[in-house]
């Protein structure tokens, strides 16, 4: 018996700095309708999907900075997306900048939610690995101020039973870290959802520019194979406010093979039917409980021992 889920990976082309939320939500709804026409159960949007990726420029005015964040989810501007999902009976994953009032203070996170076919939020994840810098770098062609504008996500890297399987989320730079996939896999993940905004140039390490597509694929294909999970990774592509970002929105099988991929740097829906049962052979092959040598992994062994696969 196969456990099939048809997924639409909704790559986003550039978003202008002056584009308003209503226009962008309408754009996302158009992609959602197309995904529904193509039989998708779930549409996956990118990281910070509701605005341009504002950490690429300097903002020193608090009110202006806060205007890039969502204070509620759904809020008045995003409610139509939830309504359309419920009307069509399609789930979605959405990355957004989250402003929360917690612990008696204002907090900012780079977050993603998973929403069921009934339009109700199933789970939320806050990005853990924030790239970039705190200070302005005037000599760089663009900024990467995620460390300044967001707090580190407080975790955990968790999974949810949804869409007939076990689903986990991580966000952009999280995909480059081995721990991300392994912790999700220890939670039984079968489908890992990722949104990203990845420039094709790192000002501090230009020697890596030619490898940006390769590194993007390398970490996700390895993560999929080593942990027996489908990976769906969705980018914001093309030149946005002067910053050129990679495309390569990808659906990766638990074998590590890329089974579907975007061909453009604009809005593009990449559709694939994933059999969650394809994860089983890879989970059995590695069989974490039988084969991980955590007692020999050194000082962290006791903490690792406390985490056991389901
Ligand atoms: N949004 C990101 O996290 N981007 C990083 C870039 C800046 C290296 C990434 O890992 O793709």
């Amino acid at each position: 018996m196969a456990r099939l889920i048809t997924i639409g990976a909704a790559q986003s082309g550039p978003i202008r700095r002056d584009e308003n939320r209503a226009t962008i939500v309408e754009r996302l709804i158009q992609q959602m309708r197309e995904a529904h026409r193509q039989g998708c159960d779930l549409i996956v949007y990118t990281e910070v999907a509701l605005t341009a990726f504002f950490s690429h420029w300097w903002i020193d005015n608090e009110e202006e900075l806060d205007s890039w964040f969502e204070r509620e989810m759904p809020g008045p501007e995003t409610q139509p997306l939830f309504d359309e999902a419920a009307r069509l009976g399609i789930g979605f994953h959405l990355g957004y900048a989250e402003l929360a009032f917690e612990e008696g203070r204002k907090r900012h996170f780079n977050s993603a939610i998973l929403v069921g076919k009934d339009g109700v939020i199933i789970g939320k994840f806050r990005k853990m690995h924030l790239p970039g810098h705190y200070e302005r770098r005037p000599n760089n062609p663009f900024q990467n101020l995620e460390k300044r504008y967001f707090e580190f996500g407080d975790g955990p890297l968790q999974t949810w039973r949804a869409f007939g399987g076990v689903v986990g989320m991580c966000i952009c730079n999280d995909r480059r870290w081995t721990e991300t996939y392994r912790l999700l896999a220890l939670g039984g993940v079968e489908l890992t959802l990722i949104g990203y905004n990845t420039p094709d140039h790192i000002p501090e390490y230009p020697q890596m520019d030619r490898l940006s597509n390769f590194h993007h694929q390398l970490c996700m294909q390895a993560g999929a194979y080593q942990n027996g999970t489908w990976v769906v990774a969705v980018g914001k592509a093309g030149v946005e406010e002067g910053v050129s970002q990679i495309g390569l929105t990808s659906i990766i099988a638990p074998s590590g093979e890329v089974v579907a991929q975007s061909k453009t740097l604009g809005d593009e829906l990449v559709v694939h039917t994933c059999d969650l049962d394809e994860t089983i052979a890879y989970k059995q092959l590695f069989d974490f409980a039988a084969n991980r040598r955590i007692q020999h992994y050194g000082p962290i062994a006791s903490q690792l021992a406390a985490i056991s696969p389901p």
Side-chain angles (χ1 to χ4, degrees):
M1 265 288 282
R3 279 183 299 144
L4 302 180
I5 171 170
T6 300
I7 300 179
Q11 179 170 286
S12 168
I15 295 177
R16 287 193 328 274
R17 188 172 175 162
D18 63 1
E19 233 169 309
N20 64 37
R21 300 279 205 292
T23 315
I24 297 154
V25 167
E26 181 51 34
R27 205 165 137 183
L28 300 181
I29 287 175
Q30 291 308 325
Q31 286 183 306
M32 184 179 275
R33 289 182 183 150
E34 178 56 27
H36 179 254
R37 270 192 291 278
Q38 294 197 40
C40 292
D41 301 289
L42 174 68
I43 180 167
V44 182
Y45 298 114
T46 189
E47 174 191 32
V48 185
L50 297 166
T51 64
F53 200 60
F54 55 90
S55 46
H56 285 157
W57 60 84
W58 177 256
I59 303 168
D60 57 4
N61 176 296
E62 190 178 330
E63 196 183 337
E64 189 197 336
L65 181 62
D66 288 352
S67 73
W68 292 96
F69 287 76
E70 312 304 312
R71 287 165 189 263
E72 36 179 352
M73 189 55 69
E77 286 149 322
T78 46
Q79 187 64 53
L81 192 62
F82 286 73
D83 293 344
E84 190 65 1
R87 190 182 76 78
L88 297 172
I90 183 171
F92 69 94
H93 161 282
L94 178 75
Y96 66 105
E98 177 195 7
L99 193 157
F101 290 91
E102 289 172 357
E103 301 172 3
R105 64 192 171 92
K106 195 160 63 176
R107 306 185 71 186
H108 301 83
F109 295 101
N110 185 338
S111 301
I113 46 168
L114 180 66
V115 179
K117 291 183 173 186
D118 54 1
V120 174
I121 294 175
I122 295 168
K124 181 167 75 177
F125 171 74
R126 290 167 167 173
K127 183 172 180 176
M128 286 187 150
H129 303 90
L130 295 175
H133 37 93
Y134 293 94
E135 78 291 3
R136 187 179 204 170
R137 296 194 173 168
N139 295 326
N140 284 3
F142 58 90
Q143 304 298 307
N144 186 2
L145 292 159
E146 283 199 60
K147 282 194 171 73
R148 183 180 189 88
Y149 297 157
F150 300 108
E151 279 185 54
F152 290 98
D154 41 11
L157 272 156
Q158 71 183 102
T159 54
W160 293 268
R161 294 211 158 267
F163 300 97
V166 183
V167 185
M169 296 182 270
C170 68
I171 302 176
C172 196
N173 197 259
D174 291 321
R175 79 191 187 287
R176 301 188 192 272
W177 299 86
T178 309
E179 297 89 332
T180 300
Y181 304 93
R182 183 48 50 94
L183 288 169
L184 290 174
L186 289 168
V189 77
E190 297 174 316
L191 174 61
T192 303
L193 307 178
I194 307 172
Y196 60 91
N197 283 262
T198 298
D200 59 18
H201 170 58
I202 307 178
E204 292 79 8
Y205 306 102
Q207 72 276 24
M208 294 178 198
D209 289 355
R210 71 180 181 86
L211 299 168
S212 52
N213 286 344
F214 170 67
H215 287 155
H216 164 69
Q217 296 295 154
L218 176 69
C219 52
M220 297 192 300
Q221 291 184 250
Y225 164 67
Q226 292 171 337
N227 296 283
T229 178
W230 285 89
V231 171
V232 176
V234 179
K236 166 100 68 61
V239 180
E240 182 181 86
E241 296 297 330
V243 182
S244 174
Q245 303 206 107
I246 67 166
L248 296 185
T249 287
S250 303
I251 300 182
I252 301 167
S255 61
E257 293 166 289
V258 177
V259 294
Q261 196 164 61
S262 63
K263 296 179 177 60
T264 72
L265 293 174
D267 284 12
E268 182 180 342
L269 189 70
V270 177
V271 176
H272 187 79
T273 299
C274 306
D275 181 358
L276 298 178
D277 278 350
E278 278 184 40
T279 61
I280 294 171
Y282 290 92
K283 291 198 187 291
Q284 287 173 348
L285 173 75
F286 285 107
D287 191 347
F288 289 172
N291 296 316
R292 287 169 83 229
R293 310 304 299 154
I294 52 179
Q295 68 274 36
H296 298 134
Y297 288 169
I300 60 163
S302 57
Q303 283 117 292
L304 286 172
I307 309 168
S308 52

